[in-house]
Amino acid sequence: MNERNSIITQDTAYNDEDIKTLDWMEHIRRRPGMYIGKLGDGSYADDGIYVLLKEVLDNSIDEYMMGYGKSIEVTVEEGTVAVRDYGRGVPLGKVVDVSSKMNTGAKYDSKAFKKSVGLNGVGIKAVNALSSFFQISSYRDGEQKQVEYSKAHITEEMDIVPSNEANGTQIYFIPDKEIFKDYEYKDEYIESLLKNYVFLNTGLSIIYNGKKFFSKNGLVDLLNENMTTDPLYPIIHLKGEDIEVVITHSNQYGEEYYSFVNGQHTTQGGTHLSAFREAIGRVIKEYYTKNFEYSDIRAGIVAAISIKVEEPVFESQTKTKLGSKDIGPEGPTVAKFIGDFIKKELDNYLHKNGETSELLLRKITESEKERKAIAGVTKLARERAKKANLHNRKLRDCRIHLNDAKGDRQEESCIFITEGDSASGSITKSRDPNIQAVFSLRGKPLNSFGLTKKIVYENEEFNLLQAALNIEDGLEGLRYNKVIIATDADVDGMHIRLLLITFFLQFFPDLIKRNHVYILQTPLFRVRNKQKTWYCYTEEERLAAMKAAGKNPEITRFKGLGEISPDEFRNFIGQDIRLDPVTMKREDSVKEMLEFYMGKNTMERQVFIIDNLVVEEDIA
């Protein structure tokens, strides 16, 4: 016992030297996730390098919202980012403070920045700390102040000098490659970010690498940009002080929302989105004086809301979910503010636009008929899903979920949808049980193209998958941030991918539109010699590995996920996981696309298959 106690004492020593105080930049560099979410390499829209760009842009947007500067220039070249606005410029005597002193900024005073995104004085300081090079220049009333940093340490500070430049602020930064490994900015993610900025700030021009982004119609332009099906009636556009909303319906299942607070895209919604959804349902019920189900009113809805809130409270530093209950210190609650606005403006609009009212009523009535037609099946399916012990039969769950109220890893939560016992077994043994769940399919799913939602409840696989994701009533309850399709890299695996994507596009398109669905990339080959092992995802990588390995390397072709040992699999679903996002654009016409790929076996499709046939060469 004495020996055991001495071991414990030795291992758990806790002395004065164990207490450390980190300065602010070291804390950010050691714990970047607390400030910018995940790191990543630029492969995904929520990777850290885009958060850095956004933190800088938010300050320029705040200037525009205050009435200063109608254009912003953004340049990204070979990993170097430059942002130039034409606002008032940072007060020259405070350039060092705002860029390198924590909890310093103008936004604590609501008079200076009444409804700003960044209120905690962290934003560009985090960018500074996470950049190998950071330069800030402020131009103000014919004078200029410039400071340069490396990892938040000043390397050069210029005196205030005369300048002919127009007022405003310019920031250059290079994300630190010690933290962001092999990163690369992708135009598609930057352009999507900039489009949202101009949709929310009509009249603002953003020039990105010479390409101009501008919106005349605000959120109407946003909906037109993102809708992949035609609206059933003209988009309803309502604007008021500190609030703008757009509403329409389409012939798709589910609900599709875009929500913003002070220009911040709240991808996980929050108090404002909940109030918006409820207000729409309540006002429409009252307008038609019919006791419609809220689910029937909102079935197929496509809508967006943007509000401005004084001193907003978000549930994380990345500001993806609003937690504020009040519009401002002296204002009404968020729910009352939105509810009163929708009650007055939407009700007035429906009274004035009889044709739209009739089309909306027809859509709600059709949704009601379909729901009642499958009511019996739905009830039985829910009971079956509850009775089926998901945790033992189909789902090996994780401990942390996206919809958990507390914690700091919710956005890392994911679920692998895989086929077959061997594949699901390998992933289950390799996964991080805190954030990675596994759902096992039994054989190939049904081709759901052209079927009604009744099939979701009648088909056991779809019913249990819907229950596992918790998306029956919309994405508000989604349990995992990433839904990852993990199938073999062969014809059967590709077919299963298409069947699952068809299912999501048919019945839960918002799951894809909000960037929750991914394809897991696993290596096709393993090349190794006595010294090293290479995992190759493409033919080009295989050839390069063979050359590097030298004479007579051992080459293995992985035909299925079940062939990869759990120890190896851990490499592919850990920090270096490779995921291909499943995305949708405006030009992707879902109906026509599904008809072509998943509909009847037409001659056009046969010709397409023949023209794109790839014969795999023997690598032996």
Side-chain angles (χ1 to χ4, degrees):
M1 178 65 85
N2 289 338
E3 181 182 355
R4 179 174 178 272
N5 283 342
S6 68
I7 292 173
I8 292 174
T9 303
Q10 181 179 355
D11 289 346
T12 58
Y14 183 51
N15 303 310
D16 290 355
E17 58 268 22
D18 294 311
I19 306 298
K20 300 182 186 301
T21 300
L22 302 179
D23 60 30
W24 67 270
M25 71 275 287
E26 189 177 358
H27 190 271
I28 292 174
R29 290 180 62 81
R30 285 199 185 188
R31 299 287 186 271
M34 291 177 61
Y35 300 88
I36 63 164
K38 70 187 184 73
L39 296 177
D41 60 3
S43 298
Y44 309 109
D46 58 347
D47 281 353
I49 59 170
Y50 302 110
V51 179
L52 299 185
L53 171 59
K54 190 180 173 311
E55 290 288 356
V56 174
L57 276 168
D58 281 344
N59 290 334
S60 299
I61 297 295
D62 286 337
E63 279 292 293
Y64 174 79
M65 288 171 62
M66 294 296 294
Y68 300 94
K70 292 184 178 181
S71 67
I72 300 170
E73 297 163 2
V74 181
T75 306
V76 178
E77 293 179 348
E78 298 181 353
T80 300
V81 181
V83 177
R84 169 70 155 103
D85 69 42
Y86 294 88
R88 291 165 291 184
V90 175
L92 301 185
K94 294 293 184 179
V95 170
V96 171
D97 290 0
V98 302
S99 55
S100 63
K101 290 188 179 179
M102 289 295 279
N103 305 316
T104 301
K107 299 172 187 178
Y108 298 107
D109 180 0
S110 293
K111 294 176 183 176
F113 284 89
K114 186 180 179 185
K115 297 177 175 71
S116 169
V117 172
L119 289 169
N120 49 20
V122 174
I124 64 168
K125 268 78 79 176
V127 181
N128 190 353
L130 298 174
S131 297
S132 56
F133 175 80
F134 181 94
Q135 180 193 83
I136 179 171
S137 303
S138 178
Y139 308 100
R140 194 172 171 110
D141 302 328
E143 294 184 312
Q144 173 188 354
K145 171 74 175 182
Q146 181 174 296
V147 186
E148 292 181 1
Y149 299 85
S150 178
K151 304 173 186 178
H153 294 284
I154 293 178
T155 57
E156 184 177 354
E157 180 180 355
M158 289 175 48
D159 294 331
I160 297 174
V161 295
S163 173
N164 294 322
E165 288 275 352
N167 282 2
T169 304
Q170 180 164 279
I171 288 177
Y172 286 95
F173 69 90
I174 302 175
D176 189 352
K177 290 190 175 180
E178 291 180 11
I179 293 173
F180 304 97
K181 308 291 185 184
D182 300 320
Y183 71 86
E184 180 183 0
Y185 280 101
K186 295 188 180 297
D187 286 346
E188 60 188 290
Y189 297 139
I190 294 178
E191 290 185 4
S192 177
L193 175 67
L194 301 184
K195 284 177 183 177
N196 280 344
Y197 276 123
V198 297
F199 293 147
L200 295 165
N201 297 278
T202 54
L204 170 68
S205 295
I206 300 182
I207 296 89
Y208 169 57
N209 286 357
K211 184 177 179 180
K212 183 177 179 179
F213 295 88
F214 179 85
S215 172
K216 183 179 179 182
N217 302 305
L219 292 186
V220 173
D221 291 338
L222 181 142
L223 244 55
N224 284 326
E225 173 76 20
N226 288 282
M227 287 186 69
T228 53
T229 53
D230 293 330
L232 296 177
Y233 53 85
I235 295 171
I236 299 171
H237 189 195
L238 309 173
K239 290 185 74 171
E241 186 177 352
D242 294 336
I243 185 168
E244 179 182 3
V245 304
V246 286
I247 304 166
T248 191
H249 281 75
S250 70
N251 278 325
Q252 67 179 32
Y253 288 100
E255 305 172 33
E256 183 177 339
Y257 299 100
Y258 303 88
S259 65
F260 302 86
V261 174
N262 296 6
Q264 168 66 33
H265 190 185
T266 44
T267 53
Q268 292 184 40
T271 52
H272 61 316
L273 181 56
S274 298
F276 182 47
R277 293 175 72 240
E278 184 179 342
I280 290 172
R282 185 174 61 250
V283 170
I284 289 176
K285 280 177 71 169
E286 291 173 358
Y287 172 78
Y288 291 111
T289 62
K290 292 180 181 288
N291 192 28
F292 289 127
E293 293 278 340
Y294 282 155
S295 61
D296 296 330
I297 293 171
R298 297 194 296 245
I301 194 171
V302 187
I305 178 170
S306 172
I307 65 169
K308 294 177 181 175
V309 176
E310 286 191 45
E311 301 178 5
V313 176
F314 296 97
E315 294 193 4
S316 69
Q317 168 62 20
T318 50
K319 309 181 183 91
T320 53
K321 188 173 185 179
L322 181 69
S324 296
K325 291 192 168 110
D326 300 312
I327 287 291
E330 299 177 2
T333 64
V334 168
K336 185 174 186 334
F337 174 72
I338 294 172
D340 289 349
F341 176 79
I342 296 296
K343 166 64 179 169
K344 178 184 176 183
E345 299 299 333
L346 181 56
D347 186 75
N348 285 346
Y349 185 95
L350 293 174
H351 274 99
K352 292 176 182 178
N353 295 271
E355 189 175 344
T356 294
S357 301
E358 289 179 14
L359 291 169
L360 175 56
L361 179 60
R362 188 183 307 167
K363 170 60 179 172
I364 296 170
T365 304
E366 288 172 357
S367 299
E368 183 181 51
K369 285 179 181 176
E370 183 177 358
R371 177 182 55 80
K372 288 181 177 177
I374 65 172
V377 177
T378 304
K379 184 177 180 181
L380 289 172
R382 283 179 180 147
E383 292 173 357
R384 194 164 70 239
K386 287 180 182 178
K387 288 178 182 177
N389 191 335
L390 283 169
H391 294 271
N392 290 329
R393 285 187 58 195
K394 306 291 291 182
L395 176 67
R396 294 164 178 86
D397 207 359
C398 55
R399 299 186 183 99
I400 299 169
H401 300 101
L402 181 61
N403 55 12
D404 288 345
K406 294 182 180 180
D408 59 0
R409 299 189 70 190
Q410 293 97 321
E411 293 189 22
E412 296 179 63
S413 62
C414 64
I415 182 169
F416 295 97
I417 305 174
T418 190
E419 185 268 329
D421 293 336
S422 57
S424 63
S426 290
I427 294 180
T428 301
K429 292 174 184 175
S430 309
R431 68 180 177 137
D432 179 346
N434 288 309
I435 57 171
Q436 294 177 324
V438 182
F439 184 91
S440 302
L441 293 169
R442 187 180 66 244
K444 288 186 180 179
L446 181 71
N447 182 359
S448 60
F449 172 68
L451 304 177
T452 68
K453 201 168 186 180
K454 183 179 180 183
I455 197 64
V456 180
Y457 300 99
E458 289 181 328
N459 181 277
E460 183 179 25
E461 296 289 301
F462 288 156
N463 182 35
L464 295 179
L465 177 57
Q466 173 185 258
L469 298 177
N470 194 34
I471 54 177
E472 179 183 358
D473 297 321
L475 297 196
E476 292 271 295
L478 179 64
R479 302 177 77 232
Y480 313 96
N481 192 33
K482 288 186 171 68
V483 179
I484 302 169
I485 301 171
T487 59
D488 293 341
D490 58 13
V491 173
D492 285 339
M494 184 66 71
H495 192 200
I496 293 170
R497 290 183 192 178
L498 291 176
L499 291 168
L500 285 169
I501 291 171
T502 299
F503 168 67
F504 290 136
L505 285 174
Q506 279 275 99
F507 304 112
F508 305 100
D510 209 18
L511 199 65
I512 291 176
K513 289 186 178 182
R514 287 170 62 176
N515 302 313
H516 290 295
V517 181
Y518 295 82
I519 303 295
L520 175 68
Q521 293 299 317
T522 51
L524 298 174
F525 308 98
R526 180 182 61 209
V527 178
R528 62 184 176 188
N529 57 24
K530 292 182 179 180
Q531 289 78 37
K532 188 175 178 181
T533 299
W534 293 262
Y535 294 103
C536 310
Y537 291 76
T538 65
E539 178 66 14
E540 290 75 19
E541 289 184 13
R542 178 180 76 87
L543 294 174
M546 289 175 62
K547 185 177 180 180
K551 263 189 160 185
N552 302 319
E554 176 191 322
I555 306 171
T556 302
R557 169 69 160 94
F558 293 120
K559 293 291 186 181
L561 301 184
E563 295 180 4
I564 305 174
S565 70
D567 285 341
E568 284 185 297
F569 220 117
R570 197 165 285 114
N571 299 319
F572 314 134
I573 62 172
Q575 186 175 0
D576 297 325
I577 190 170
R578 292 195 191 185
L579 298 175
D580 286 341
V582 179
T583 59
M584 291 175 66
K585 300 175 183 175
R586 170 62 183 165
E587 55 268 27
D588 296 331
S589 178
V590 175
K591 183 179 179 182
E592 286 77 8
M593 183 170 60
L594 290 178
E595 177 72 51
F596 180 80
Y597 289 106
M598 307 305 292
K600 293 180 180 179
N601 192 13
T602 63
M603 183 59 67
E604 289 82 4
R605 190 167 71 190
Q606 291 181 39
V607 171
F608 174 82
I609 292 171
I610 292 169
D611 289 346
N612 291 274
L613 186 64
V614 176
V615 179
E616 186 175 289
E617 296 180 5
D618 187 354
I619 65 166

